[in-house]
Amino acid sequence: MHIVLLAAEGRSPTEIARILFCSRTTVYAVVGRFIQEGRAAFDDRERRGPKPLLEQSANEYIERLIEEGPPTEHGWLRSRWSCKLLALELFKERATLLSRETLRRALHRLGFHWRRPRPAPPKKDSEEQKEQKRRRLLDVISMIKEAGSFFQDETKLETNPKVGFCWMRKGKQKPLRTPGTNRKLWISGALNFRTGSFHWVTGERKNDELFMKLLERLRRTYRCHKQLHLAVDNDSSHTSKRVEHYMEDRPGRILLHPLPSWSPESNPVELVWWSLHEAVSRNHQCGGLDDLVEFAEGYLKERHPFRLKLGEVYSHLQRPPP
């Protein structure tokens, strides 16, 4: 259109070519086509060259293959689709002979990328599982009305720092020192939901001994309460034989309330651990495990008490059914 407008102003082909950075042959061709066809000269032209190897139906077939199921459903002993396997499948079903690179370009054009999938937990959609989750959440809501109610959970500290975002100069990646041997320490903590007090113990392993150590600290700290209620997850360290014997020796003193499976949002202690790792574990430069533990305990004491709210999973219980 610029060529036609400049030609209408009386510019010569040489001037138009110099202004628009094109050849005089292009100027002659465009002006001649406009004289013959008029407005239709500016419409899109049919694509020149050979026809594309993959038609619309073939593209739709490739999309169905990748999105609907693994190669085993089509008789291939493979767990995922590759460019070579897609070429074999197209040749088997549609007698279309294509190279791997042609299919790679087609996949990029269709919006597919070769990347790692995201692991997802199994679905918990059965009516029985939904009802079990609802009963457990209602039990926790009734638990927090008692005086000695706690939420319990564990986390891990490592001398090998967790990598997190930080400010650094453009074009330079800041080095993060890592230890030669990674040492670990577990923290078991309990949050008093009424007062916000947070109590914790440490141990080398996440087992029933660490859990009973926390129970013993809570029992000695809250002697004024006849019963202590703890909302715990479904880890085996909370239901072992040793824990059962410990509670049988002190009948009625400690009551455990199991939280729903695969539901970290139902435990407010997860927010305590998240803040701890954000402030302490990520990109830490502690020389040893003792320094890291001192750093973490100092942070917990500084943030104490924690004023947390129950997650949205509890608020859904209060809503009327649709």
Side-chain angles (χ1 to χ4, degrees):
M1 290 183 179
H2 286 157
I3 290 175
V4 172
L5 290 174
L6 291 174
E9 291 183 354
R11 304 289 185 119
S12 66
T14 303
E15 290 178 325
I16 297 174
R18 187 183 300 113
I19 293 172
L20 299 179
F21 298 97
C22 62
S23 64
R24 293 194 302 170
T25 304
T26 302
V27 176
Y28 284 119
V30 171
V31 174
R33 189 165 64 241
F34 179 74
I35 293 174
Q36 293 179 359
E37 302 178 9
R39 174 65 179 81
F42 300 129
D43 297 338
D44 292 336
R45 299 282 170 171
E46 293 185 1
R47 186 174 179 269
R48 295 183 179 182
K51 294 183 178 180
L53 298 177
L54 286 174
E55 299 178 352
Q56 182 64 25
S57 60
N59 290 329
E60 294 175 355
Y61 182 63
I62 292 174
E63 291 180 339
R64 289 198 304 271
L65 287 177
I66 295 179
E67 293 180 341
E68 292 182 359
T72 52
E73 297 182 359
H74 298 268
W76 300 100
L77 295 178
R78 295 293 185 272
S79 61
R80 55 183 177 171
W81 289 106
S82 63
C83 293
K84 181 178 180 180
L85 193 59
L86 286 172
L88 293 175
E89 176 67 19
L90 286 173
F91 181 74
K92 182 186 74 171
E93 296 295 332
R94 305 176 65 90
T96 303
L97 186 60
L98 299 171
S99 67
R100 289 179 295 179
E101 294 304 318
T102 300
L103 279 169
R104 195 186 312 277
R105 291 193 298 270
L107 290 172
H108 285 295
R109 187 171 61 253
L110 293 173
F112 293 100
H113 299 278
W114 184 261
R115 55 187 302 183
R116 299 172 64 181
R118 175 177 57 86
K123 293 184 178 180
K124 306 286 184 179
D125 293 336
S126 67
E127 294 299 326
E128 182 180 355
Q129 290 168 337
K130 288 182 179 179
E131 183 60 27
Q132 182 189 33
K133 180 178 180 179
R134 179 179 176 84
R135 288 198 305 266
R136 291 188 175 185
L137 292 177
L138 291 174
D139 178 53
V140 173
I141 290 179
S142 62
M143 179 204 74
I144 60 177
K145 298 177 182 178
E146 304 293 335
S149 58
F150 301 85
F151 285 91
Q152 186 275 338
D153 197 24
E154 296 91 3
T155 192
K156 179 173 56 177
L157 292 178
E158 300 181 79
T159 53
N160 189 16
K162 297 178 181 291
V163 181
F165 289 90
C166 67
W167 291 107
M168 60 187 74
R169 290 193 178 275
K170 187 176 181 180
K172 293 184 179 181
Q173 192 171 17
K174 184 178 180 180
L176 183 61
R177 185 181 62 182
T178 57
T181 302
N182 187 27
R183 297 182 58 194
K184 305 175 184 179
L185 187 80
W186 286 91
I187 301 179
S188 179
L191 174 68
N192 189 324
F193 192 74
R194 278 199 170 188
T195 64
S197 300
F198 190 71
H199 308 274
W200 68 89
V201 295
T202 59
E204 295 182 357
R205 295 182 179 180
K206 179 186 178 183
N207 51 19
D208 52 5
E209 183 178 352
L210 179 64
F211 182 59
M212 289 188 295
K213 185 178 178 181
L214 176 65
L215 295 180
E216 188 66 20
R217 170 164 293 189
L218 293 176
R219 192 175 65 86
R220 294 181 180 276
T221 303
Y222 293 90
R223 295 181 180 180
C224 57
H225 298 303
K226 293 183 179 181
Q227 285 186 334
L228 299 179
H229 301 264
L230 272 80
V232 299
D233 57 22
N234 298 274
D235 191 81
S236 59
S237 62
H238 305 151
T239 58
S240 67
K241 294 294 183 181
R242 295 178 60 185
V243 174
E244 292 180 1
H245 294 330
Y246 178 87
M247 297 177 64
E248 289 174 358
D249 294 339
R250 301 156 184 83
R253 185 75 169 91
I254 300 175
L255 299 178
L256 301 182
H257 302 261
L259 292 168
S261 303
W262 301 97
S263 182
E265 65 276 5
S266 63
N267 194 344
V269 182
E270 295 286 352
L271 296 177
V272 178
W273 298 145
W274 177 83
S275 64
L276 174 67
H277 291 305
E278 283 292 315
V280 175
S281 300
R282 299 197 188 280
N283 302 353
H284 76 80
Q285 300 181 10
C286 298
L289 186 59
D290 295 337
D291 296 336
L292 179 60
V293 173
E294 182 180 359
F295 188 14
E297 290 183 344
Y299 172 79
L300 292 175
K301 292 177 182 178
E302 180 186 0
R303 288 293 309 273
H304 179 87
F306 291 89
R307 299 296 183 181
L308 300 176
K309 298 181 180 179
L310 293 178
E312 294 184 359
V313 67
Y314 292 95
S315 61
H316 295 334
L317 299 175
Q318 309 297 332
R319 299 177 183 175

